[in-house]
Amino acid sequence: HHNILEELETHETFPAKFDRISNDVSKKLAQILQTAFQDRCSDIHFIPSKQSLEVFFRQKGRLRFVMTLNETLGLAIINLIKLKAQIDMTKAFLPQGGQFIFVTYRTEICCRVSTLPCLHGESLVLRLQSDQLNKMYCYDALKNTPFAKKFVQVLPGLWLISGPIGNGKTTT
């Protein structure tokens, strides 16, 4: 026999449990964003599978697998991102876009968000943009290379830069 008073005292209340879960989701999202910033990633991809959410970082133009989140945490993170980006959560079967600002290491990162319906739910891509990231990309790309110096001297004028998504066209 269980005493109902004992059970009430030992079990977490709904608001307390909700706050704890919400805090866990926010911490996990912050961890993902901070890691992507530290690794100088241009994009974070959240791709759902049957029972999980896979996270990829785009780094120097290449997509790199980072982690798998369980379905519950993955859905909570996607909903939190959509909430922050002011994207309509009721329209999961339509492509949508938005943005939000995330601050890490005293740097503001503008996260442009795009969603796209897919087989197992909704995929989501975050494009990370900040002045500090742009400076790092430009420095890495042009770092006094002989090619860059020669290119600038030989071809003055208007340049058309093209290439695949995430290859640094904007930052270059």
Side-chain angles (χ1 to χ4, degrees):
H1 291 243
H2 284 85
N3 183 340
I4 193 88
L5 291 175
E6 285 176 18
E7 193 170 319
L8 285 172
E9 288 173 8
T10 59
H11 282 34
E12 204 171 16
T13 64
F14 176 76
K17 187 174 186 175
F18 179 80
D19 287 346
R20 183 179 51 76
I21 291 169
S22 178
N23 195 26
D24 290 347
V25 172
S26 293
K27 282 181 183 177
K28 190 63 173 179
L29 177 58
Q31 176 194 11
I32 291 168
L33 290 168
Q34 286 172 341
T35 303
F37 176 76
Q38 287 174 328
D39 291 354
R40 298 178 173 183
C41 298
S42 60
D43 302 329
I44 304 171
H45 294 251
F46 296 90
I47 303 171
S49 60
K50 263 189 177 179
Q51 297 178 340
S52 64
L53 183 74
E54 295 180 351
V55 181
F56 296 84
F57 288 171
R58 183 170 302 281
Q59 193 174 28
K60 296 183 179 178
R62 288 192 158 64
L63 211 54
R64 172 176 62 94
F65 173 78
V66 178
M67 68 179 72
T68 300
L69 303 171
N70 69 49
E71 186 177 21
T72 305
L73 180 59
L75 184 59
I77 285 178
I78 283 184
N79 285 332
L80 179 60
I81 292 169
K82 288 173 78 174
L83 187 67
K84 286 179 176 290
Q86 299 179 344
I87 292 174
D88 188 345
M89 294 205 287
T90 64
K91 297 180 180 174
F93 297 104
L94 289 175
Q96 298 185 79
Q99 66 180 16
F100 66 94
I101 301 291
F102 177 75
V103 179
T104 183
Y105 304 108
R106 294 188 216 143
T107 302
E108 279 191 359
I109 301 170
C110 178
C111 300
R112 291 188 350 211
V113 181
S114 64
T115 67
L116 191 64
C118 62
L119 182 63
H120 297 293
E122 190 172 27
S123 70
L124 193 135
V125 177
L126 291 175
R127 169 64 57 98
L128 307 179
Q129 294 182 311
S130 77
D131 289 340
Q132 187 172 343
L133 281 172
N134 289 346
K135 288 174 189 169
M136 289 189 293
Y137 292 143
C138 290
Y139 179 74
D140 284 349
L142 301 175
K143 213 189 285 182
N144 296 320
T145 61
F147 172 79
K149 287 179 183 178
K150 187 175 181 179
F151 191 75
V152 172
Q153 290 171 352
V154 175
L155 299 170
L158 179 69
W159 300 350
L160 175 63
I161 300 174
S162 64
I165 294 171
N167 263 5
K169 296 177 295 294
T170 303
T171 55
T172 301

